[in-house]
Amino acid sequence: MAAVAAGGGPGRCRRWVLCLWLCAALLPRAARGLTEGLYCGRRVCYEVLGVSRQASKAEIARAYRQLARKYHPDRYRGEPAAPGGSGDGGPQAAHEKFLLIATAYETLKDEETRKDYDYMLDHPEEYYRHYYHYYSRRLAPKVDVRIVILVTVCAISVFQFFSWWSSYNEAINYLATVPKYRIQATEIARQQGLLNKTKEKGKNRRSKEEIREEEEEIIKDIIKNKIDIKGGYQKPKIYDILLFQILLAPFYLCKYVVWYCWWIYCFTIKGQEYGVEEKLYIIRRYMKMSQSQFDSLEDHQKETFLERQLWIRENYEVYKREQEEELKKKMAMDPRWKRYRRWMKNEGPGRLTFIDD
């Protein structure tokens, strides 16, 4: 028994040493002065430039210029070897010296970086803090992120606005070819005497092509002024672009909160009857349509919604089932849909067929 106890002593000692070593490895280590990989490494940046910690920015810049002129790889000619010894290491050593000088200057010329470096010299034990500040400044973007976001939003807004204008002009050009709107616009132009001005005689007489182009522009202008295009092809407005939407977001949020409180107070607490606008709003919510999509509907469709009282949930469910049944009947009568069903029944996408030559 005594032998066993004596033999267990060294084992327990080794286990204790291992535990202490693991604890020491896991605990935050205090930096032993200067750290390799941070700033000037094991060298003090002030000593590299030959200045004191109280040196001004002008003194630091002057010392840097003198040393850079001396150790620049393009100008360095070497120094004479000391008696009984070797030289200074040649161009490679001068190049490393120049890089160290440049690093010291980059560290001390910036006020914030110099402040972090002085803090590291005064508090070498805060090892991880120094690493964080060093790499956070080194890896920080050179351009302010806010400027990047602002420029991106402005670019998207400009593209968005011109894209909407292009869609709007396409809609105007299309409406100018529809006989219904073209005839109406032509009648309005004749009543206002706009088409008579295009047929001038004498010296101001123009070719038929020029007259046709001017008449086309007059008709398009009348369509723009007389027809209210809604939906995805409506006339673009400056406050609809992304930039203004972001700027006006707090206003829209406050407006929505006020409107929601008003809705709760009027229709939930006081129990008032819905108006026409409120009824159409409830119907639009049931149909899951955006405001622009709902505005693009014809007026007689909205009147039908109101006549059938679709703001009542039960009535809307009945209307929805009727629309689904009507859609099924239309698809059943459609020849293309019949051919598709016949193909799915006979062949289908997952079947192999052989075509005779």
Side-chain angles (χ1 to χ4, degrees), residues 282-298:
I282 296 174
I283 295 171
R284 181 174 68 84
R285 291 294 300 272
Y286 286 162
M287 293 183 172
K288 298 180 180 179
M289 300 175 66
S290 64
Q291 186 65 50
S292 59
Q293 291 174 332
F294 194 77
D295 292 340
S296 62
L297 298 177
E298 298 291 340

Side-chain angles (χ1 to χ4, degrees), residues 259-276:
W259 173 85
Y260 187 76
C261 295
W262 170 82
W263 183 282
I264 295 297
Y265 174 74
C266 291
F267 303 115
T268 304
I269 299 177
K270 297 182 67 176
Q272 295 181 1
E273 293 290 334
Y274 294 126
V276 176

Side-chain angles (χ1 to χ4, degrees), residues 326-342:
E326 186 177 352
L327 180 61
K328 290 179 180 178
K329 291 180 181 178
K330 287 182 179 180
M331 294 177 67
M333 299 301 294
D334 189 356
R336 293 176 296 178
W337 178 246
K338 288 182 179 179
R339 287 196 299 269
Y340 175 75
R341 287 190 301 170
R342 193 182 305 117

Side-chain angles (χ1 to χ4, degrees), residues 46-110:
Y46 293 102
E47 295 177 357
V48 172
L49 296 179
V51 296
S52 63
R53 289 187 61 173
Q54 290 74 31
S56 62
K57 294 181 68 174
E59 294 173 346
I60 292 173
R62 191 183 310 114
Y64 167 72
R65 285 194 295 269
Q66 292 175 357
L67 293 172
R69 200 179 300 116
K70 178 180 179 181
Y71 289 98
H72 195 280
D74 296 337
R75 294 188 176 187
Y76 184 73
R77 295 293 180 269
E79 296 180 357
S86 59
D88 57 354
Q92 182 63 30
H95 179 68
E96 295 176 359
K97 178 74 172 178
F98 178 78
L99 294 179
L100 183 62
I101 292 169
T103 303
Y105 178 66
E106 290 293 328
T107 302
L108 300 180
K109 75 174 184 177
D110 183 69

Side-chain angles (χ1 to χ4, degrees), residues 306-322:
L306 295 174
E307 289 174 1
R308 299 196 57 174
Q309 298 183 355
L310 296 187
W311 66 89
I312 301 174
R313 189 72 186 188
E314 292 76 12
N315 297 342
Y316 174 73
E317 293 296 336
V318 174
Y319 171 80
K320 184 179 178 182
R321 287 194 294 270
E322 291 177 358

Side-chain angles (χ1 to χ4, degrees), residues 166-326:
S166 177
S167 301
Y168 176 70
N169 289 329
E170 288 179 5
I172 295 297
N173 294 333
Y174 169 75
L175 292 175
T177 61
V178 177
K180 173 184 175 181
Y181 301 109
R182 188 176 184 86
I183 293 172
Q184 294 180 3
T186 305
E187 289 296 328
I188 294 173
R190 286 201 181 99
Q191 293 174 4
Q192 296 178 357
L194 299 176
L195 296 181
N196 298 330
K197 296 179 182 179
T198 61
K199 301 177 181 179
E200 297 175 348
K201 298 181 180 180
K203 296 181 180 179
N204 297 327
R205 186 175 181 181
R206 289 166 295 174
S207 63
K208 292 182 179 180
E209 188 67 27
E210 293 177 346
I211 294 174
R212 191 180 300 110
E213 290 178 359
E214 187 172 349
E215 289 179 353
E216 195 70 23
E217 291 297 326
I218 291 172
I219 291 173
K220 289 180 181 179
D221 289 338
I222 292 175
I223 291 175
K224 288 180 182 179
N225 297 327
K226 298 297 181 180
I227 298 180
D228 185 17
I229 302 176
K230 296 180 180 180
Y233 292 91
Q234 65 183 358
K235 187 175 183 179
K237 299 176 182 178
I238 193 67
Y239 54 81
D240 287 336
I241 63 176
L242 179 62
L243 179 62
F244 281 87
Q245 289 293 310
I246 294 175
L247 294 176
L248 297 175
F251 169 74
Y252 289 141
L253 180 61
C254 295
K255 184 179 178 181
Y256 175 77
V257 171
V258 172
W259 173 85
Y260 187 76
C261 295
W262 170 82
W263 183 282
I264 295 297
Y265 174 74
C266 291
F267 303 115
T268 304
I269 299 177
K270 297 182 67 176
Q272 295 181 1
E273 293 290 334
Y274 294 126
V276 176
E277 294 296 329
E278 289 76 22
K279 293 175 181 178
L280 291 176
Y281 170 76
I282 296 174
I283 295 171
R284 181 174 68 84
R285 291 294 300 272
Y286 286 162
M287 293 183 172
K288 298 180 180 179
M289 300 175 66
S290 64
Q291 186 65 50
S292 59
Q293 291 174 332
F294 194 77
D295 292 340
S296 62
L297 298 177
E298 298 291 340
D299 292 336
H300 67 85
Q301 291 180 288
K302 298 179 182 178
E303 292 175 0
T304 304
F305 296 159
L306 295 174
E307 289 174 1
R308 299 196 57 174
Q309 298 183 355
L310 296 187
W311 66 89
I312 301 174
R313 189 72 186 188
E314 292 76 12
N315 297 342
Y316 174 73
E317 293 296 336
V318 174
Y319 171 80
K320 184 179 178 182
R321 287 194 294 270
E322 291 177 358
Q323 293 296 313
E324 291 175 352
E325 292 295 330
E326 186 177 352

